[in-house]
Amino acid sequence: MDNQELVPATSRKQKIVRLMAQMNKGLLERDEQVRLVMLAALAGEHVLLLGPPGTAKSELAKRLHSVFFEANYFERLLTRFSVPEELFGPLSIQALEEDKYKRITSGYLPEASVAFIDEIFKANSAILNSLLTLLNERQFDNGNRRYPVPLVSVVAASNELPEGEELSALYDRFMLRSFVRPVSDESFEQILNLEGGECDPDLSDRLRVEDLVEVQRMAEKVRLSTSVIEL
């Protein structure tokens, strides 16, 4: 019996509840989005946050990263002029001298566990193919080989819905989507009185890859009712 089987499901559930409480610390009216980004990570999916600037979209991604033990984080804002090197790393000069086409991926998306990609629908065709493969198959083509990536979840953000068939394929990669609105007028006074709300979970509470594998294994045993399937 491995160590993961020694962890009761109730303990793991309590850990996730504590982590979501940490993620909510210092945020207002973001409980739904906190639950969604956590659900995306547990399910091995990605989440799309649609909304104006200043609504804590990037902060949610950073907080998701903070709940994992020894996870790499990557963040990038895309523009119409973004090039693949910004996401996937620069070409290796040494490899080119040896007639090889290879990227240096250290510190870039192919080696990230949690990533935040802002204005994702600004991605151009030069970026899309590799991005789609990475999101959907958790693999990245580097040189003449395809490598698995350690990606847990991507939190993407946009101020607008996609236009065009290519971007629709990218949109479909995000099973979880949420409109993020500015904090309401009713909470304005609370914003002014907010104290520091840093998300820094105890190391003993942080999730490991083994936790995700076990949660996904247990989820396969869940049987959906007819009403849930219809919904």
Side-chain angles (χ1 to χ4, degrees):
M1 181 181 293
D2 60 36
N3 291 334
Q4 284 305 305
E5 292 178 348
L6 296 175
V7 180
T10 51
S11 297
R12 191 175 284 110
K13 181 178 180 180
Q14 291 164 358
K15 177 191 289 189
I16 292 170
V17 169
R18 289 195 296 269
L19 288 171
M20 287 195 295
Q22 275 285 319
M23 290 174 69
N24 258 312
K25 192 175 179 182
L27 296 180
L28 294 174
E29 301 179 6
R30 293 295 174 262
D31 181 65
E32 177 184 315
Q33 286 74 30
V34 164
R35 292 166 64 87
L36 277 176
V37 296
M38 177 62 83
L39 176 61
L42 294 174
E45 295 292 341
H46 311 292
V47 61
L48 173 64
L49 303 177
L50 292 160
T55 49
K57 298 189 292 294
S58 63
E59 180 64 20
L60 286 165
K62 292 172 184 172
R63 291 184 175 218
L64 178 64
H65 165 247
S66 73
V67 306
F68 286 96
F69 185 79
E70 294 183 344
N72 293 326
Y73 180 72
F74 176 81
E75 181 175 324
R76 188 67 75 236
L77 167 66
L78 295 184
T79 71
R80 298 292 184 193
F81 307 103
S82 293
V83 293
E85 285 74 14
E86 295 179 39
L87 283 179
F88 310 119
L91 291 173
S92 169
I93 303 301
Q94 182 179 347
L96 288 174
E97 291 173 349
E98 299 173 1
D99 295 328
K100 296 177 182 178
Y101 188 90
K102 191 173 182 180
R103 294 190 182 278
I104 302 171
T105 57
S106 178
Y108 289 87
L109 183 57
E111 297 195 14
S113 305
V114 176
F116 176 68
I117 304 178
D118 201 2
E119 294 299 338
I120 193 166
F121 298 124
K122 296 283 197 300
N124 52 50
S125 57
I127 290 173
L128 274 175
N129 285 340
S130 293
L131 186 56
L132 290 172
T133 302
L134 195 145
L135 290 173
N136 199 43
E137 301 172 36
R138 299 298 203 284
Q139 293 184 324
F140 177 68
D141 293 320
N142 197 3
N144 59 358
R145 290 186 58 190
R146 177 167 283 194
Y147 297 87
V149 299
L151 188 65
V152 172
S153 185
V154 167
V155 178
S158 179
N159 299 328
E160 57 193 6
L161 289 168
E163 295 181 4
E165 188 174 335
E166 280 188 331
L167 291 177
S168 294
L170 179 59
Y171 181 73
D172 288 341
R173 292 299 191 276
F174 295 91
M175 184 176 291
L176 301 172
R177 305 157 187 163
S178 177
F179 286 96
V180 188
R181 295 175 175 81
V183 174
S184 65
D185 292 344
E186 290 76 13
S187 298
F188 182 70
E189 186 175 341
Q190 288 179 264
I191 291 179
L192 297 181
N193 293 318
L194 271 179
E195 297 181 359
E198 184 179 354
C199 180
D200 186 22
D202 291 338
L203 290 179
S204 60
D205 274 344
R206 298 192 187 200
L207 296 172
R208 298 173 183 266
V209 173
E210 294 83 359
D211 290 308
L212 298 181
V213 171
E214 181 64 10
V215 167
Q216 291 164 14
R217 187 181 71 82
M218 297 296 290
E220 292 176 357
K221 299 181 180 181
V222 175
R223 295 291 173 262
L224 300 180
S225 65
T226 302
S227 60
V228 170
I229 293 173
E230 290 175 352
L231 179 63

